[in-house]
Amino acid sequence: MDNKSTFDGARAMNKMAVACHTVIVTVLEAAYLIEVLKGSRTTGYYVVFSLIAILPIALEIYLYRREPADTRLKYVISVTYSLFYLFVVFTTVNMITFTYIIPLCLVIILYSDVKLCAWVGGAGFVINLVFLVWQGVSGGIRAEDMATYEIRMALLLLVAVFLYLSTRTLEKINIQFESQSFYPEERETFQVGEEINEMIKTVLMSGMVKGDLRADLDIAPVSFSCWGMLSGLIQFTASKADYIKQSMGLSKEQFLQCGFDMIYQSIAGMEVKQ
């Protein structure tokens, strides 16, 4: 995977997620507007509902236009929609509103982020559990409705569990050497490459925390870029050592140091550069 494909993948996921969130809100806005026109909802409620629903969309579009591959977008979408969902569940008497969390689950599965999906699925379940407890304490649940509420909670639990399991499976999907005709050496090379990727990511994150590296680095593409530049620089130096000595008057070590410094300066923090 090269840097461009990594970047395009993040951008495509964000674009689809923002678009889906926008569609969800648009449909709900239209549905609740009809409720207002029918007299089932007050104008004041609709205004508050609209603000909670639309403002996050505006923020997401702003973040996407500023940086299409912004990794914060998936968290913004998840948190703001969960808050919107909390508001709707506690202010709507219609039983069907509990299903509003399902579209969000379908959206965030794009990211194959197990922790995020577990958080969203769990949040949907907990919000409804708290609502039902509150309804039970205040006497808002009739005996004949208990079976419906039990089905409601069972469905939400299944959604949360299946969301977690599906995302965990997607996260593990990678090159399946066992099912293809690869030599053991090729599999070992792949595993070593994955270990190198993780080590580079660890070093980069450590440098960002300490302030030695820029805080705005996108870890995945930067780690691949650094690996590619370093390996390319080393291979080039090894094959062109005589030419480098003749044309530049530099030894292999001096030329490599120059290249390493250039790569480092491209990701170094401002204080380090100064």
Side-chain angles (χ1 to χ4, degrees):
M1 180 183 296
D2 58 20
N3 300 329
K4 187 177 186 300
S5 63
T6 302
F7 173 80
D8 287 345
R11 178 171 58 185
M13 287 187 291
N14 282 339
K15 183 178 181 179
M16 180 59 68
V18 173
C20 290
H21 191 186
T22 303
V23 170
I24 294 170
V25 168
T26 301
V27 171
L28 293 178
E29 281 286 325
Y32 275 71
L33 178 59
I34 293 174
E35 291 294 307
V36 173
L37 296 176
K38 289 164 54 179
S40 302
R41 291 284 175 186
T42 65
T43 303
Y45 177 87
Y46 184 69
V47 170
V48 175
F49 172 88
S50 298
L51 288 174
I52 298 175
I54 295 175
L55 287 179
I57 298 293
L59 174 60
E60 292 161 18
I61 292 175
Y62 167 77
L63 291 174
Y64 179 79
R65 288 182 175 177
R66 185 178 179 183
E67 174 51 68
D70 195 334
T71 56
R72 297 174 297 176
L73 260 172
K74 61 182 179 181
Y75 301 112
V76 172
I77 293 172
S78 300
V79 173
T80 57
Y81 189 89
S82 295
L83 293 174
F84 167 73
Y85 180 70
L86 174 67
F87 170 79
V88 172
V89 167
F90 275 84
T91 59
T92 304
V93 294
N94 194 319
M95 179 75 72
I96 203 67
T97 54
F98 82 91
T99 61
Y100 291 1
I101 195 68
I102 297 177
L104 176 62
C105 295
L106 297 176
V107 170
I108 63 167
I109 202 171
L110 281 167
Y111 294 101
S112 298
D113 188 325
V114 174
K115 291 182 180 179
L116 181 64
C117 288
W119 185 91
V120 170
F125 182 83
V126 171
I127 288 171
N128 280 273
L129 181 61
V130 173
F131 172 74
L132 294 184
V133 170
W134 173 64
Q135 286 286 86
V137 172
S138 60
I141 299 179
R142 297 177 300 178
E144 56 267 30
D145 293 332
M146 281 302 300
T148 303
Y149 284 114
E150 290 171 359
I151 294 173
R152 171 176 176 170
M153 295 308 299
L155 177 60
L156 287 169
L157 180 60
L158 288 175
V159 168
V161 171
F162 289 163
L163 176 65
Y164 171 79
L165 293 176
S166 298
T167 311
R168 186 176 179 183
T169 301
L170 285 173
E171 189 181 53
K172 290 181 178 180
I173 291 178
N174 213 320
I175 300 176
Q176 300 296 319
F177 289 98
E178 293 79 8
S179 61
Q180 302 183 41
S181 300
F182 288 101
Y183 293 107
E185 293 80 5
E186 292 175 316
R187 179 180 179 182
E188 183 178 351
T189 300
F190 172 79
Q191 292 175 335
V192 171
E194 290 296 287
E195 292 174 3
I196 293 174
N197 285 339
E198 290 303 316
M199 286 190 289
I200 293 176
K201 289 178 182 179
T202 301
V203 171
L204 289 174
M205 287 188 289
S206 176
M208 291 168 67
V209 171
K210 294 177 181 178
D212 295 334
L213 303 180
R214 284 164 35 202
D216 61 343
L217 295 179
D218 193 347
I219 294 297
V222 171
S223 64
F224 273 98
S225 298
C226 288
W227 186 11
M229 287 187 288
L230 289 171
S231 59
L233 179 64
I234 294 171
Q235 290 176 11
F236 178 85
T237 304
S239 63
K240 301 291 184 179
D242 293 337
Y243 177 78
I244 292 171
K245 181 67 175 178
Q246 179 182 350
S247 62
M248 305 177 196
L250 297 176
S251 65
K252 289 192 298 184
E253 292 75 15
Q254 291 172 324
F255 181 77
L256 283 172
Q257 187 61 53
C258 180
F260 295 155
D261 288 341
M262 184 179 67
I263 294 173
Y264 176 68
Q265 288 301 317
S266 69
I267 61 175
M270 292 301 297
E271 294 183 3
V272 175
K273 289 183 179 181
Q274 294 172 358

